[in-house]
């Protein structure tokens, strides 16, 4: 499973003749299990255990409804984490395919643990609801089965855990994209192109990878800290400030109250939230450069950043025009429009007012914003603005090639030339994305058969699929910001959960797991057959 | 309308000498205009035929129709006489010619609608004509009488026949375009179905097109005749059989019946389903079959297998969804099969009003509206070949993700598909989606009439996709039981533009615009 070199049959000398004898080291470490998925998953569960412990403490402070359950689960998780750190080891190098499997398994482990939390604290009525909430948490999607149902009476520990899953998920997704999926071409655009090309194996402990992870971690923590301070300053209680900061900076969108940020009815808070979402959806490498005081020109040079801000501006302007009903542009309308646009582009999912009451043109614009997504290398999800820009350049190149058939043209983004291989993969990703939306929409609608208003359900299914895939959350019509996802049939919720996972992890890790399972079972059968033959021959 | 064998070799024919003399005398040398002139003349002959048919059947407004034919004929002759072809045809010029011819022919074809007072405004007449020549099948005639338009039963038979003929002509042009012209010019990755590399073929365009055209029109004619005969066998009279044969072979979808195929027998539906699928196949396959009398070309065609499998899966899914939402099984099967096939082949005949179906079957139909049928046929949409190639490319990407250095070309017929073709197909599909989105946005903002309220988004997205794919019916308020009269004039213009763009596989029309703006800038 790990592809390590220690495949030596039991009882035999490890070293080839005449070479150094690694037998001693090998035997000492034979007790440790070399498996990347197990190693990563156990550490991830350990971290979740820390989070659960924290949630338990907070719950004690606020009434101790769920503290015991949380504490027990935390202890279990911490135990697993310690066991993993002692008994499980990462291999020194790992193939890309195995890396994808590893990442996928780790995500699933975290989701399973979170499901246990919700079930044990009885926060959700059923197990599949708990699973849904966990998936929505770690994929930073703002769909919750706990909305509108006495949300504010839920134990504070559970609410904290919920926000924590999104916080972890946002960072986890960022790391996944930067470390495990660099070949998708969606990573740090300020990096030179060579380092983004495919590598046969990724050294997990390489200084380059670790430095990148540390930088992003500091940006993420910094943003979270700033978010907490701003929200505190805006008038939220410490608990609310922390949880809302968690769900804003991770572009998750969970809220402790029904009206999301609108509950507080404070313009200052709404602007702080806009700032938070805007930064969370921006490329973290750029933010790092900005904070370190390095060249402002680098910021301005970034095509993607310009497109990101331009898109937000243009969409806000267009929506203000569409929704202008003679009441003029009051500060409130502007604020609400900008909030909605930033929320959807950064794929957060916080909402202020109910956009299902907006004019059809405005809703279509919102749907398109959901489909675009945030910047690459940010905590946000979606199709990524960088990819959209590259694909638009591809269109331009193909149009030009139509006229000048024999010239060799490249696809440019600003001054940077995009490698053909990367473009090919982006096209492949777009196809997968489209197939997922199509299949997902049909699957959601399939649970919705019979009854009236097919058009409404059509729009719900289609927009729900788009929104879930981009990990935003709320969509149009039946999945609007003020409706509860519990109104949908359970099967439709399952489809949404699958789409959320696929969207957050860019499909590859999940598909890699499926492939690995298939290939693994085949290989296991083959090696078993070989071992039997060897016994027979002896 | 099509670059049919009018490019006579530079020999001693008196016509050619005349033309050269005129060119020397300062006549306009322009490929688009010349071709447009020829096309208009052909089309006017069709108008006269329709007028005669009208005279035979119900004798109403014959003079109006024949007069329209004569007038357009004269106009076309004038344009033909006073223009001539340049020595060489450039790549861009060929594409622009195609676009201009279609536009010119649509304008000419709208005249009978005006002279018979079927429409009040020229815009509406142009809409119906464009819908005809692009083989779309969206109509402004409203049989429910709600939107202030005339119903089909109030129109003279001659005009109805002309309406059917517009689609027949459109299909003829399209078939040559799809099989000969566009692959040679490498539009949207279609060079995959041609034996030559794109770009090199531009100078061989004319002779190659003329020989291909004769072949394809033979197949086209055979299918038309067979369809007519089989429709008469299941009970239609000659007029109706010919009328529906015209729009089935061109996968257009106009019908002289007010209720389209809704009141027809099961036999008629099955016959039409069969011929719609035949017309949506690559016409090269049919030509080889007629020549060799062997089924091998059909068996070997990768795209055909995918197309038929897609139709089968679609029928099964839609029937399943409809049965589970309460429809009795026989009706569900019959209606689902017909609607999946008619939309999957981009024809667009109407039976059941699928707008009242549940969301899931409607979404399946929507997917078919986007994908379309096979290349090299009269149908619209993205075409199954592109869908299949891009899907293979995507799944290959998944395997590459696990084994980054594997060399996995896409295989088809044992050869691999070059990256440049995949890239071109991707560019085409992306542009298609972009146009559909922009079209939907424009329609929903400025194109909807006052009667559309709650399902505005569904109506506009449906109309945009339907127009781009030359399907016919839309969704929401523009479904099979309604007409496109729910759109205001601005919306109708948008739908028309989308129909033209979609018919010509996007690039020619865009290049036409680009060439226009460039020449304007040069003159200014």
């Amino acid at each position: 499973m790990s592809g390590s070199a220690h495949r030596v049959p039991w009882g035999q000398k490890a070293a080839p003749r005449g070479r150094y004898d690694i037998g001693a080291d090998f035997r000492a470490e034979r007790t440790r299990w070399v498996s990347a998925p197990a190693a990563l998953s156990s550490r991830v569960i350990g971290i979740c255990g820390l989070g659960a412990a924290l949630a338990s403490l907070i719950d004690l402070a606020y009434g101790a409804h769920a503290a015991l359950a949380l504490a027990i689960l935390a202890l279990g998780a911490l135990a697993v984490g310690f066991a993993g750190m002692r008994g499980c080891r990462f291999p020194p190098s790992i193939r890309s395919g195995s890396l994808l499997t590893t990442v996928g398994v780790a995500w699933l482990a975290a989701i399973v643990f979170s499901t246990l939390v919700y079930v044990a604290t009885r926060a959700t009525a059923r197990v599949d609801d708990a699973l849904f909430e966990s998936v929505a948490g770690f994929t930073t999607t703002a769909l919750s089965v706990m909305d509108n149902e006495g949300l504010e009476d839920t134990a504070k520990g559970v609410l904290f855990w919920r926000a924590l899953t999104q916080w972890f998920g946002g960072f986890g997704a960022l790391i996944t994209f930067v470390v495990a999926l660099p070949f998708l071409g969606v990573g740090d655009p300020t990096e030179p192109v060579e380092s983004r090309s495919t590598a046969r194996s990724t050294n997990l402990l390489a200084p380059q990878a670790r430095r990148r992870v540390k930088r992003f971690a500091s940006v993420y923590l910094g943003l979270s800290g700033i978010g907490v301070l701003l929200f505190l300053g805006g008038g939220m209680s410490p608990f609310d400030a922390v949880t809302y900061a968690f769900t804003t900076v991770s572009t998750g969108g969970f809220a402790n109250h029904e009206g999301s940020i609108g509950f507080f009815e404070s313009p200052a808070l709404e602007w702080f939230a806009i700032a938070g979402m805007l930064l969370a959806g921006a490329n973290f490498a750029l933010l790092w450069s900005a904070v370190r005081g390095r060249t402002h020109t680098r910021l301005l040079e970034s095509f993607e950043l310009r497109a990101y801000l331009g898109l937000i501006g243009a969409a806000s302007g267009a929506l203000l025009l569409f929704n202008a009903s003679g009441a003029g542009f009051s500060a409130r309308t502007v604020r609400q429009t900008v909030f909605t646009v930033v929320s959807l582009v950064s794929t957060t999912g916080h909402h202020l007012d109910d956009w299902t009451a907006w004019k059809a043109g405005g809703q279509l614009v919102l749907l398109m914003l959901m489909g675009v997504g945030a910047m690459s290398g940010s905590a946000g999800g979606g199709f990524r603005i960088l990819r959209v820009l590259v694909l638009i350049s591809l269109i331009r190149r193909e149009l030009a090639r139509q006229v000048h058939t024999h010239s060799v043209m490249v696809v440019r983004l600003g001054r940077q030339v995009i490698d053909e291989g990367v473009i090919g993969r982006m096209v492949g990703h777009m196809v997968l994305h489209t197939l997922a939306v199509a299949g997902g929409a049909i699957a959601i609608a399939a649970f919705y058969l019979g009854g009236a208003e097919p058009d409404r359900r059509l729009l719900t299914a289609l927009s729900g699929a788009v929104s879930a895939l981009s990990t935003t959350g709320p969509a149009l019509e039946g999945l609007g910001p003020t409706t509860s996802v519990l109104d949908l049939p359970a099967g439709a919720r399952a489809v949404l959960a699958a789409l959320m996972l696929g969207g957050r992890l860019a499909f590859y890790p999940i598909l890699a797991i499926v492939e690995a399972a298939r290939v693994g079972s085949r290989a296991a059968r083959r090696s078993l057959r070989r071992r039997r033959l060897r016994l027979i021959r002896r | 309308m099509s670059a049919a064998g009018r490019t006579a070799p530079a020999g001693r024919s008196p016509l050619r000498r005349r033309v050269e003399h005129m060119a020397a005398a300062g006549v306009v040398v322009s490929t688009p205009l010349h071709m447009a002139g020829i096309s208009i003349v052909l089309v006017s002959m069709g108008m006269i035929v329709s007028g005669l048919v009208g005279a035979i059947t119900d004798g109403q407004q014959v003079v109006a129709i024949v007069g329209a034919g004569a007038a357009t004929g004269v106009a076309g002759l004038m344009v033909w006489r006073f223009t001539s072809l340049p020595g060489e045809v450039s790549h861009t010029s060929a594409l622009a010619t195609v676009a201009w011819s279609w536009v010119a022919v649509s304008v000419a074809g709208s005249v009978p609608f005006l002279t018979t007072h079927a429409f009040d405004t020229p815009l509406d007449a142009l809409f119906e004509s464009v819908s005809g020549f692009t083989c779309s099948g969206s109509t402004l005639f409203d049989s429910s009488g709600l939107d202030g338009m005339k119903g089909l039963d109030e129109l003279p038979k001659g005009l109805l026949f002309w309406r059917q003929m517009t689609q027949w002509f459109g299909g003829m042009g399209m078939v040559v375009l799809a099989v000969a012209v566009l692959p040679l010019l490498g539009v949207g990755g279609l060079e995959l179905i041609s034996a030559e590399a794109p770009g090199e073929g531009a100078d061989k365009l004319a002779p190659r097109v003329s020989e291909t055209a004769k072949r394809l029109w033979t197949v086209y004619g055979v299918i038309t005749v067979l369809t007519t005969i089989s429709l008469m066998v299941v009970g239609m009279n000659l007029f109706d059989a010919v009328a529906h044969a015209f729009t089935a072979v061109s996968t257009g979808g106009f019908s002289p019946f007010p209720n389209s195929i809704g009141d027809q027998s099961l036999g008629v539906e099955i016959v039409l389903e069969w011929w719609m699928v035949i017309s949506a196949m690559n016409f090269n396959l049919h030509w080889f079959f007629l020549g060799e009398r062997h089924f091998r070309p059909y068996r070997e065609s990768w795209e055909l297998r995918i197309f038929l499998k897609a139709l089968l899966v679609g029928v099964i899914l839609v029937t399943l969804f409809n049965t589970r939402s309460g429809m009795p099984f026989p009706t569900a099967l019959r209606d689902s099969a017909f609607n999946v096939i008619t939309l999957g082949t981009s024809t667009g005949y109407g039976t059941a009003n699928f707008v009242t179906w549940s969301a899931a079957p409607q979404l399946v139909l929507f997917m078919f509206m986007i994908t379309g049928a096979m290349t090299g046929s009269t149908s619209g949409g993205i075409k199954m070949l592109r869908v299949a190639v891009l899907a293979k490319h995507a799944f290959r990407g998944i395997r590459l993700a696990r084994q980054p250095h594997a060399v996995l070309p896409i295989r088809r017929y044992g050869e691999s598909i070059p990256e440049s073709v995949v890239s071109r197909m991707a560019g085409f599909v992306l542009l298609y989606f972009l146009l559909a989105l922009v079209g939907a946005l424009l329609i929903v903002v400025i194109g909807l009439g006052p009667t559309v309220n709650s399902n505005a988004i569904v109506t506009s997205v449906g109309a945009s996709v339907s127009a781009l794919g030359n399907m016919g019916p839309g969704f929401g308020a523009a479904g099979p039981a309604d007409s496109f009269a729910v759109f205001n004039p601005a919306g109708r213009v948008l739908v028309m533009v989308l129909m033209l763009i979609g018919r010509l596989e996007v690039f020619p029309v865009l290049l036409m615009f680009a060439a226009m703006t460039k020449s304007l800038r040069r003159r200014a």
Side-chain angles (χ1 to χ4, degrees):
Chain A
M1 212 188 329
S2 63
S4 77
H6 308 300
R7 227 178 260 119
V8 180
W10 290 102
Q12 284 199 357
K13 271 246 186 74
R17 228 176 298 158
R19 293 295 183 106
Y20 51 90
D21 180 18
I22 60 169
D25 302 304
F26 176 68
R27 259 175 259 121
E29 297 191 338
R30 217 157 49 183
T31 50
R32 290 182 90 188
W33 185 18
V34 181
S35 153
L40 189 58
S41 306
S42 52
R43 282 159 179 77
V44 163
I45 292 183
I47 297 175
C48 289
L50 282 175
L54 195 55
S56 171
L57 288 172
I58 292 180
D59 201 55
L60 276 174
Y62 279 96
H65 299 291
L68 186 61
L70 281 168
I72 295 176
L73 282 170
L75 283 174
L78 286 169
V80 169
F82 274 131
M85 274 177 35
R86 290 293 309 285
C88 248
R89 194 162 62 82
F90 286 106
S93 78
I94 183 170
R95 285 184 307 125
S96 301
S98 308
L99 188 58
L100 288 176
T101 323
T102 306
V103 162
V105 168
W107 274 80
L108 288 178
I111 289 173
V112 165
F113 177 72
S114 176
T115 314
L116 288 173
V117 168
Y118 290 124
V119 167
T121 56
R122 265 186 281 240
T124 59
R126 300 157 31 174
V127 179
D128 55 338
D129 286 347
L131 190 59
F132 183 90
E133 195 77 7
S134 308
V135 171
F138 281 105
T139 59
T140 68
T141 313
L143 290 173
S144 174
V145 294
M146 297 206 286
D147 268 338
N148 312 333
E149 252 191 31
L151 181 62
E152 304 178 24
D153 298 332
T154 324
K156 291 280 197 252
V158 172
L159 289 177
F160 182 78
W161 171 252
R162 204 164 150 254
L164 200 63
T165 56
Q166 291 207 319
W167 199 57
F168 283 160
F171 189 61
L174 194 59
I175 302 298
T176 306
F177 262 89
V178 168
V179 172
L181 303 174
F183 60 86
L184 280 184
V186 186
D188 183 357
T190 59
E191 266 181 63
V193 186
E194 304 83 59
S195 63
R196 257 193 280 142
S197 57
T198 64
R200 187 174 278 124
S201 61
T202 308
N203 201 333
L204 278 177
L205 310 171
Q208 198 190 17
R210 266 204 276 190
R211 194 180 50 205
R212 237 184 297 164
V213 169
K214 265 193 260 184
R215 275 193 201 160
F216 280 25
S218 26
V219 173
Y220 197 68
L221 287 170
L223 273 182
S224 314
I226 295 175
V228 172
L229 288 173
L230 283 177
F231 284 152
L232 274 176
M236 284 192 194
S237 71
F239 179 77
D240 281 337
V242 169
T243 46
Y244 274 102
F246 278 1
T247 61
T248 305
V249 166
S250 65
T251 72
F254 276 162
N256 296 338
H257 310 95
E258 253 184 69
S260 186
I261 306 251
F263 168 82
F264 299 97
E265 293 187 5
S266 150
L269 273 178
E270 288 166 17
W271 280 114
F272 289 153
I274 291 177
M277 293 189 285
L278 193 67
L279 289 173
N283 185 298
F284 277 16
L286 282 178
L287 289 178
W288 173 263
S289 309
V291 161
R292 299 279 268 156
R294 245 169 262 166
T295 51
H296 290 291
T297 53
R298 186 169 254 186
L299 280 176
L300 294 171
E301 258 178 26
S302 168
F303 236 73
E304 203 192 354
L305 183 66
R306 280 190 274 169
Y308 178 58
L309 297 173
L311 179 66
I312 292 175
S316 309
L319 284 170
L320 280 172
L321 282 173
F322 286 162
N323 291 335
S325 49
F329 301 150
S330 68
R332 188 159 180 271
T333 328
V334 172
R335 200 176 57 235
Q336 279 179 344
T337 314
V338 174
F339 187 96
T340 312
V341 168
V342 172
S343 171
L344 290 180
V345 172
S346 66
T347 74
T348 308
H350 281 313
H351 62 271
L352 280 185
D353 59 17
D354 184 8
W355 58 67
T356 57
W358 287 9
K359 289 214 197 105
Q363 292 194 44
L364 193 55
V365 170
L366 291 182
L367 189 59
M368 298 206 272
L369 287 178
M370 280 177 222
V372 171
M375 282 181 76
S376 63
S378 76
F383 196 64
R384 308 297 166 131
I385 293 191
L386 185 67
R387 264 188 227 143
V388 172
L389 287 177
V390 169
L391 291 177
I392 292 180
S393 297
L394 178 67
I395 295 179
R396 263 208 306 235
R397 181 190 67 173
E398 293 307 327
L399 273 177
R401 257 216 317 212
Q402 198 61 57
V403 181
H404 311 291
T405 327
H406 290 295
S407 50
V408 175
M409 292 187 205
V410 292
V411 178
R412 271 178 206 282
L413 201 61
R415 263 185 297 149
Q416 201 176 29
V417 173
I418 312 284
D419 179 47
E420 290 295 319
V422 170
I423 294 180
R425 285 183 199 105
M426 284 192 186
V427 167
H429 193 87
M430 178 212 64
V431 172
L432 287 177
H433 212 91
T434 313
L435 288 175
V437 169
I442 293 179
I444 292 175
F447 288 101
Y448 239 161
L449 295 169
E453 291 190 331
D455 286 335
R456 193 164 185 272
R457 292 193 181 162
L458 229 169
L459 216 47
T460 307
L462 201 56
S463 61
V466 170
S467 186
L469 203 61
S470 71
T471 72
T472 305
L476 302 177
E477 295 293 326
L479 271 171
T482 52
T483 57
S484 167
V485 85
L486 283 172
D487 290 336
L488 285 185
R493 287 204 297 274
V495 175
L496 283 174
L499 286 172
M500 284 191 250
L501 264 180
R504 184 85 262 201
L505 297 179
F507 306 115
Y508 295 104
I510 307 294
L511 291 168
I513 293 182
V514 172
E515 269 281 316
R518 241 173 14 115
V519 170
S521 65
R522 223 186 295 149
R525 262 181 272 135
R526 219 182 293 140
S527 75
L528 199 62
R529 225 181 295 139
R530 244 188 258 134
R531 228 179 284 160
R532 264 195 235 122
L533 283 174
R534 230 178 280 135
L535 287 171
I536 294 172
R537 267 200 230 114
R538 246 191 254 136
Chain B
M1 182 183 66
S2 54
R6 297 288 171 206
T7 52
R12 301 277 187 267
S13 82
L15 180 64
R16 183 74 185 165
R17 256 187 274 133
R18 208 81 157 293
V19 167
E20 280 171 320
H21 176 75
M22 275 200 288
V27 154
V28 178
V29 176
S30 155
T31 325
L33 282 178
H34 196 74
M35 290 303 162
I38 297 169
S39 319
I40 294 179
V41 169
L42 290 170
V43 155
S44 67
M45 295 200 286
M47 281 188 227
I48 297 177
V49 168
S50 309
L52 295 175
V53 168
I56 301 174
T57 46
D58 63 358
Q60 292 182 27
Q61 303 209 316
V62 176
V63 176
I65 301 174
V66 174
T72 34
V74 167
L77 277 172
M78 304 275 278
V79 171
W80 186 14
R81 282 209 137 208
F82 290 112
T83 60
S84 66
L85 288 173
E88 298 183 356
V89 175
S90 81
H91 198 94
T92 328
S93 179
L95 290 174
T97 302
V98 164
W100 275 118
S101 307
W102 236 274
V103 174
V105 147
S106 305
V107 170
S110 61
V111 175
F113 292 105
L114 287 171
T115 56
T116 55
H117 298 293
F119 286 120
D120 295 326
T121 56
L123 186 70
D124 294 343
L126 186 62
F127 184 96
E128 199 78 12
S129 179
V130 167
S131 182
F133 283 104
T134 57
C135 308
S136 297
S138 313
T139 182
L140 287 177
F141 290 121
D142 186 22
S143 307
S144 54
L146 289 172
D147 285 308
M149 294 285 171
K150 291 199 176 173
L152 284 170
D153 35 6
E154 303 168 32
L155 298 177
K157 291 272 198 186
L159 186 65
L160 285 177
F161 195 77
W162 169 239
R163 196 165 160 265
Q164 307 295 111
M165 242 188 163
T166 54
Q167 296 206 317
W168 196 60
F169 281 143
M172 279 169 77
M174 191 55 213
V175 128
V176 173
L177 207 65
V179 175
V181 179
L182 293 179
L184 273 183
L185 300 178
V187 170
L190 286 178
E191 57 263 37
L192 206 55
I193 67 172
S194 135
E196 305 200 12
E200 295 170 4
D203 46 324
K204 297 190 211 162
L205 195 60
R208 202 174 170 81
V209 165
S210 64
E211 44 172 274
T212 321
K214 288 185 207 136
R215 281 199 336 229
L216 296 172
W217 287 341
T218 315
V219 179
Y220 199 75
V222 166
I223 296 181
T224 314
V225 168
L226 289 177
T227 314
T228 314
I229 295 174
S230 43
L231 281 174
M232 286 178 70
V233 164
V234 275
M236 280 194 181
N237 62 39
L238 181 62
F239 178 85
D240 293 331
V242 172
H244 286 94
F246 276 0
T247 56
V249 72
S250 60
T251 64
F254 273 158
S255 169
F257 298 142
N259 214 0
S260 193
I261 310 291
D263 297 326
Q264 300 304 304
S265 66
L266 182 62
V268 168
E269 281 183 27
I270 294 182
V271 165
L272 281 177
E273 282 167 12
W274 171 261
W275 290 112
M276 283 193 280
V277 173
I278 296 282
S279 314
M281 290 193 211
N282 192 323
F283 271 49
N284 273 322
L285 297 174
H286 296 317
W287 173 254
F288 287 136
F289 174 68
L290 286 180
E292 291 178 32
R293 300 299 171 88
H294 204 280
F295 285 117
R296 195 162 43 95
Y298 298 124
R299 271 208 301 263
E300 284 181 349
S301 169
W302 179 56
E303 199 191 356
L304 178 64
R305 279 202 297 270
I306 292 179
F307 175 52
L308 292 177
K309 273 189 237 179
L311 283 182
L312 187 66
V313 169
V315 170
I316 291 176
L317 273 180
V318 175
T319 312
L320 195 70
F321 289 146
N322 275 335
T323 324
R324 288 197 52 200
S325 34
M327 243 191 250
F329 181 72
T331 324
L333 184 60
R334 177 179 169 174
D335 288 342
S336 309
F338 191 84
N339 276 296
V340 166
I341 290 180
T342 192
L343 286 178
T345 59
S346 83
T347 311
Y349 286 128
T351 50
N353 188 11
F354 56 73
V355 165
T356 58
W357 290 358
S358 301
Q362 284 195 52
L363 277 172
V364 175
L365 293 179
F366 184 69
M367 301 306 158
F368 274 109
M369 272 200 194
I370 299 180
T371 51
M374 285 181 73
T375 51
S377 70
T378 53
S379 68
I382 299 180
K383 308 290 174 16
M384 283 291 168
L385 184 65
R386 292 193 185 107
V387 172
V389 166
L390 286 176
K392 266 209 167 169
H393 175 87
F395 289 119
R396 179 168 143 260
I398 295 175
R399 250 197 304 156
L400 278 179
R402 284 178 48 80
Q403 309 151 17
H405 288 275
V407 176
L408 301 166
I410 303 179
R411 297 211 165 277
R412 185 195 69 113
Y413 296 157
E415 329 146 358
S416 44
I417 299 180
E419 282 288 330
S420 65
V421 171
V422 177
S423 181
R424 220 180 279 226
M425 287 187 176
F428 177 86
V429 171
L430 287 166
L431 189 54
Y432 195 92
F433 283 171
L434 191 64
L435 286 169
L437 270 176
V438 170
L441 191 59
L442 286 173
I443 292 178
V444 82
V445 172
I446 60 173
L448 291 176
T451 51
V452 182
N453 38 29
S454 60
N455 42 17
I457 297 184
V458 173
T459 311
S460 9
V461 173
S464 176
V465 167
S466 166
L468 210 52
N470 308 123
M471 297 288 153
F475 283 99
D482 317 290
S483 76
F484 270 55
V486 294
F487 298 106
N488 63 24
R492 292 172 201 178
V493 168
L494 284 167
V495 171
M496 267 196 280
V497 169
L498 286 170
M499 283 198 254
L500 277 170
I501 293 179
R503 176 82 292 190
L504 302 174
E505 306 262 325
V506 182
F507 290 114
V509 178
L510 292 185
L511 286 176
M512 182 173 100
F513 282 135
M516 274 193 329
T517 51
K518 215 190 303 172
S519 63
L520 282 174
R521 249 180 279 143
R522 227 187 294 134
R523 271 191 223 138

